[in-house]
DNA sequence: CTTCAGATGCTCT
DNA sequence: GAGCATCTGAAGA
């Protein structure tokens, strides 16, 4: 199967649907000749129209949330806890502030570079625990792929950041990726401040994921 | 395996 | 000034 970048229309849909359907797709990060990629294993939906957990709840428009009002597929990257970045992809019609948070990946391309970005060491020197928890968190995957606030607002179609169905030419998809997806549903992480909305079943992950 | 303190700076009130 | 869509390393079970 030939790899194709998801069309922008993929993101111009209900956010919860997009979050579910992003599982198993490939996040591809490019910087010059460098190509990094990972299979998406965990996502969460955030919908400003009615969701207290969303930064743009009730259409709140500030310098930070401005990106959430951008066209579908736009990258929304923000700093959290003063140290880590989180990557989201904007969803729904332009002007509807909503996005999917990418919470977890399995590494597929550029393992060596990602190990350097994350631990400043060769991949072969990583411990079992480091290897097992390599990209299973929103801050971890951004660190590994050098996704920073400089990526905030990147429009859909930018080579620097894209989501593919399949891996780029020359990189065979592992057989395990061809198996049918087993999707789990649960509540979102770290949004207790959102009251009742914290109970919404808007987190999705593939079996095999830890946590 | 688990819990837990501490890091660190931006965002909004 | 308070709080945050997190992570790490150390210590204990």
């Amino acid at each position: 199967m030939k790899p194709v970048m998801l069309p922008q229309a993929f993101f111009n849909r209900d956010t919860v649907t997009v979050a579910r359907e992003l599982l198993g797709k490939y996040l591809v990060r490019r910087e010059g000749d460098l190509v990094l990629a990972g299979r998406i294993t965990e996502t969460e939906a955030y919908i400003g129209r009615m969701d207290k957990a969303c930064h743009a709840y009730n259409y709140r428009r500030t310098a930070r949330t401005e990106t959430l009002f951008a066209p579908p597929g736009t990258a929304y990257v923000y700093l959290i806890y003063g140290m880590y970045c989180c990557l989201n992809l904007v969803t729904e019609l332009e002007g509807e502030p909503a996005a999917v948070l990418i919470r977890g990946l399995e590494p597929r391309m550029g393992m060596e570079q990602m190990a350097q970005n994350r631990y400043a060491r060769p991949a072969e020197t990583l411990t079992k625990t480091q290897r097992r928890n390599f990209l299973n968190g929103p801050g971890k995957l951004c660190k590994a792929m050098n996704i920073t606030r400089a990526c905030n607002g990147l429009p859909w179609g930018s080579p620097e950041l894209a989501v593919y169905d399949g891996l780029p030419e020359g990189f065979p998809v592992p057989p395990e990726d061809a198996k049918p997806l087993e999707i789990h549903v649960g509540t979102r992480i770290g949004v207790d401040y959102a009251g009742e909305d914290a109970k919404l079943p808007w987190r999705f992950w593939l079996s095999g994921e830890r946590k």
Side-chain angles (χ1 to χ4, degrees), chain A residues 9 29 56 70-71 84 112 190 204:
Chain A
R29 167 74 167 136
Y84 302 100
E112 269 314 315
F204 303 92

Side-chain angles (χ1 to χ4, degrees), chain A residues 13-139:
Chain A
R13 296 184 297 158
D14 165 66
T15 304
V16 174
T17 303
V18 174
R20 201 186 307 113
E21 295 191 8
L22 276 173
L23 294 177
K25 304 295 194 293
Y26 298 90
L27 180 69
V28 177
R29 167 74 167 136
R30 290 193 189 82
E31 291 180 275
D33 292 337
L34 180 64
V35 185
L36 309 174
R39 184 173 188 247
I40 299 174
T41 56
E42 186 182 359
T43 60
E44 284 177 357
Y46 289 86
I47 304 177
R49 187 175 66 251
M50 36 77 72
D51 169 21
K52 281 187 183 143
C54 184
H55 293 158
Y57 170 58
N58 201 20
Y59 296 92
R60 184 167 62 159
R61 201 155 188 162
T62 65
R64 179 172 70 158
T65 65
E66 193 59 35
T67 309
L68 285 166
F69 293 82
T74 302
Y76 170 49
V77 182
Y78 65 90
L79 183 71
I80 188 66
Y81 296 110
M83 278 167 275
Y84 302 100
C85 286
C86 290
L87 168 68
N88 300 249
L89 296 167
V90 172
T91 54
E92 312 210 3
L93 273 176
E94 180 172 3
E96 277 297 328
V100 172
L101 170 68
I102 309 297
R103 283 194 60 89
L105 301 174
E106 283 171 1
R108 286 294 180 272
M109 294 175 59
M111 184 62 197
E112 269 314 315
Q113 184 61 48
M114 292 197 283
Q116 283 298 329
N117 289 348
R118 214 144 119 51
Y119 293 104
R121 288 200 266 116
E124 59 172 11
T125 68
L126 301 187
T127 67
K128 223 173 194 174
T129 307
Q130 288 173 331
R131 207 173 269 278
R132 216 189 54 189
N133 298 317
F134 192 52
L135 300 178
N136 63 346

Side-chain angles (χ1 to χ4, degrees), chain A residues 160-180:
Chain A
E160 290 93 333
L161 204 55
V163 179
Y164 282 77
D165 202 344
L167 286 171
E169 294 293 350
F171 290 85
V173 170
E176 68 208 67
D177 290 6
K179 292 192 296 191

Side-chain angles (χ1 to χ4, degrees), chain A residues 169-208:
Chain A
E169 294 293 350
F171 290 85
V173 170
E176 68 208 67
D177 290 6
K179 292 192 296 191
L181 303 183
E182 196 177 313
I183 297 176
H184 300 253
V185 184
T187 55
R188 296 170 294 177
I189 304 287
V191 296
D192 290 346
Y193 61 86
E196 285 296 304
D197 290 343
K199 297 176 183 167
L200 292 168
W202 285 1
R203 172 171 167 252
F204 303 92
W205 69 96
L206 294 178
S207 30

